[in-house]
Amino acid sequence: MDTADRFNDECGVFGVFRNPGASALTALGLHALQHRGQEAAGIVACDRGKFRLERHMGLVDDNFTSQDVIDRLKGDCAIGHNRYSTTGEPALHNVQPLFAETAIGGFAVAHNGNITNARKLRETLRNSGSIFQSSSDTEVLIHLLATSTKATFIERFVDAIRQLEGAFALVALTDNLMVGCRDALGIRPLVIGDFEGSFVLASETCALDIIGARFVREVEPGEMVVISDRGMESVRPFPDRPSNRFCIFEYVYFARPDSTISGLSVYEVRKRIGRELAMEAPADADIVVPVPDSGTPAAIGYAEGAGLPFELGIIRNHYVGRTFIEPSDQIRHMGVKLKHNANRSVLKGKRVVLVDDSIVRGTTSMKIVEMVRDAGAAEVHMRIASPPTTDSCFYGVDTPEKSKLIASRMSVEELTRYIRVDSLAYLSIDGLYRAAGQDSRHDVPQYCDACFTGEYPTTLTDRTDRLPQDHLAFLEKA
Ligand code: AMP
């Protein structure tokens, strides 16, 4: 897979405006968003027009807990970013926030999502003289803003984002403004909080909780909020009325279960997913066991729905990162063993329903099933808390290319044999929509579900093999 347009996979963004503890608060916010990106983290602070940057490879805790670092990040405004990218070489120049001195002042930006026409824009910009310093798709935004002929930052920002296609939740900082912005479909999340009278922006509400900030509201799809000393103003950069196509995979796997998105608790949605799954795919079994941690809430829901005992038949070692961090297949195989161990006393002689949120490459499932069988389980019935993952995400969730997605190559029957289970069932797409508050998927879906359906809600200019979707032609007009 081409890596140039995949640099902002899975990220967390955070920002604080006018608070003396801005950098420390941002470090805490990023810590709460660590699940969204573990490869690198960065903070940019602004102190009366002077910007300071700290960007490091590794976890927030490894780099942003010392007083020295926080002291260096002087200022009452700060934005931060967690980055998670498994493709392409990990390089410090790609770590965000990105910062540039433009003709109208300093500008820092942190981006969650993927711009699907970044390569094309980059080519055009390069041909007219722009010099790129990173391979990050976010850098095109900086160049678009820097070369815009509009007078003010906000006009230039609007000018720039109207040219972007794909998914973006952005937090940006100038010497007197903090800006939060979501793409016209609101594919990636962004919320507004209030900490002791200071505005806060964060990818998820769990990052407001950690600092004790009050949830104000979400940035709406296609909305730009401009925070200044005058307060918060809302700008609508996209001329047509945006529609909501929030990423349904955030509910399935990506967001933290203690976050609330669009008024729905992620934990409750996952439990409802489990109950739907129990209704759609019951199993003759003795116990329900989650693949921890991602399968746990759905397994609780399944156990409730099926009237079966919920048991921790697999124990997870929390001192190992998500397996996807490991780059090679060989290490990924090892990673599973490092991360999970069978709880023999629970599994021996039992007919087990194993619940996981998704099967991507199939490596995890195969190893876990083997482990559960080795521990003496009599039968293993795998239940997956989402539909088959058949298509890659181009909007910021790290998924391998389609050919590596096992569900795109194998039928449920083939996969049942491949991972060696007695039965395998996925949740239906309508079941998933029901769990996420809709009665079914409908013709005009309320979520982006491209990873399960292959229907991409935006044009994918950088991939010529994909066709634009008619009902979203407004994105091109914008
Ligand atoms: P696999 O071995 O590739 O089938 O991995 C499936 C496991 O990876 C599941 O247990 C999921 O919880 C987890 N997973 C699914 N999607 C992602 C993702 N985008 N990033 C990291 N982990 C994921």
Side-chain angles (χ1 to χ4, degrees), residues 373-451:
R373 284 204 191 281
D374 286 350
E379 290 175 20
V380 183
H381 301 275
M382 190 83 179
R383 295 293 178 267
I384 301 299
S386 60
T389 305
T390 50
D391 291 82
S392 302
C393 178
F394 301 119
Y395 301 127
V397 172
D398 182 50
T399 39
E401 60 190 280
K402 189 172 166 71
S403 64
K404 294 223 170 79
L405 293 168
I406 198 136
S408 79
R409 290 191 284 119
M410 285 189 195
S411 66
V412 174
E413 292 70 34
E414 286 168 325
L415 207 42
T416 306
R417 285 194 292 278
Y418 181 74
I419 64 171
R420 300 195 195 95
V421 283
D422 297 282
S423 74
L424 165 69
Y426 287 91
L427 182 66
S428 70
I429 190 82
D430 280 338
L432 178 57
Y433 269 74
R434 275 195 297 278
Q438 309 285 312
D439 53 9
S440 69
R441 183 171 186 266
H442 295 298
D443 294 342
V444 185
Q446 298 296 299
Y447 288 103
C448 175
D449 53 21
C451 52

Side-chain angles (χ1 to χ4, degrees), residues 103-104 125 141-160 163:
I104 56 167
L125 284 159
L141 170 70
I142 292 194
H143 287 280
L144 289 173
L145 188 130
T147 54
S148 167
T149 52
K150 297 285 189 325
T152 68
F153 258 117
I154 294 310
E155 285 170 321
R156 284 179 177 221
F157 206 129
V158 168
D159 206 18
Q163 297 174 64

Side-chain angles (χ1 to χ4, degrees), residues 285-287 345-352 372 376-380:
D286 304 311
I287 54 171
S345 67
V346 164
L347 299 168
K348 200 164 183 328
K350 295 288 187 344
R351 295 172 303 163
V352 178
V372 169
E379 290 175 20
V380 183

Side-chain angles (χ1 to χ4, degrees), residues 10 84 249 253 291 294 322-324 332 356-365 397-399:
E10 300 191 351
Y84 185 139
F249 195 68
Y253 169 82
V291 178
S294 51
R322 289 182 175 186
T323 44
F324 269 48
R332 211 173 282 117
D356 202 358
D357 64 282
S358 54
I359 298 180
V360 182
R361 296 175 178 87
T363 322
T364 308
S365 308
V397 172
D398 182 50
T399 39

